[in-house]
Amino acid sequence: MSLLSVFLDGEVLLTVDGVLDGDTAPAYHRLIEEAFEQEARRVVVDLTRTTAVDAEGSAVLAETAAACVARDTHLIIALPNGVEAEITDPDQVRVLLRSVDPWQDAG
């Protein structure tokens, strides 16, 4: 699993390659906190190369959504099936992740 974070013009692109789970969640969380420290106005979480998201991965994405809502920061999540969604409520994260068939049993 690898994480790549790029900050440009107030936007952060965070790419997750591999599994987003309890082992990787702390590193993901640190990168999101760095994005907020840089006053990102938009956060794009690219899960197009992600192979699975477990319950802890889902929780850290929901925490990201809550933090973005609190900061009035736009959050976009891109999925492997070509779906991109702007998240305006943390509850949307679980519904969005369930739309990816291989992840149905991951968490």
Side-chain angles (χ1 to χ4, degrees):
M1 195 292 306
S2 67
L3 295 170
L4 174 65
S5 178
V6 177
F7 185 82
L8 181 65
D9 293 332
E11 182 170 319
V12 171
L13 172 62
L14 176 58
T15 302
V16 180
D17 189 349
V19 177
L20 180 57
D21 60 10
D23 292 336
T24 57
Y28 168 93
H29 184 73
R30 279 191 300 277
L31 290 173
I32 290 296
E33 286 302 313
E34 287 175 16
F36 292 142
E37 288 171 10
Q38 295 178 39
E39 299 181 6
R41 294 181 311 274
R42 180 177 158 130
V43 174
V44 178
V45 179
D46 179 0
L47 301 178
T48 60
R49 301 172 88 181
T50 304
T51 55
V53 177
D54 74 0
E56 290 178 70
S58 178
V60 78
L61 288 168
E63 289 171 16
T64 299
C68 284
V69 168
R71 290 172 172 83
D72 199 28
T73 299
H74 295 277
L75 172 62
I76 308 295
I77 296 179
L79 298 176
N81 58 4
V83 171
E84 291 183 5
E86 181 166 3
I87 305 299
T88 58
D89 183 313
D91 292 335
Q92 290 176 280
V93 171
R94 186 172 302 276
V95 173
L96 182 65
L97 293 178
R98 288 183 191 266
S99 74
V100 180
D101 288 334
W103 295 349
Q104 293 292 336
D105 299 323

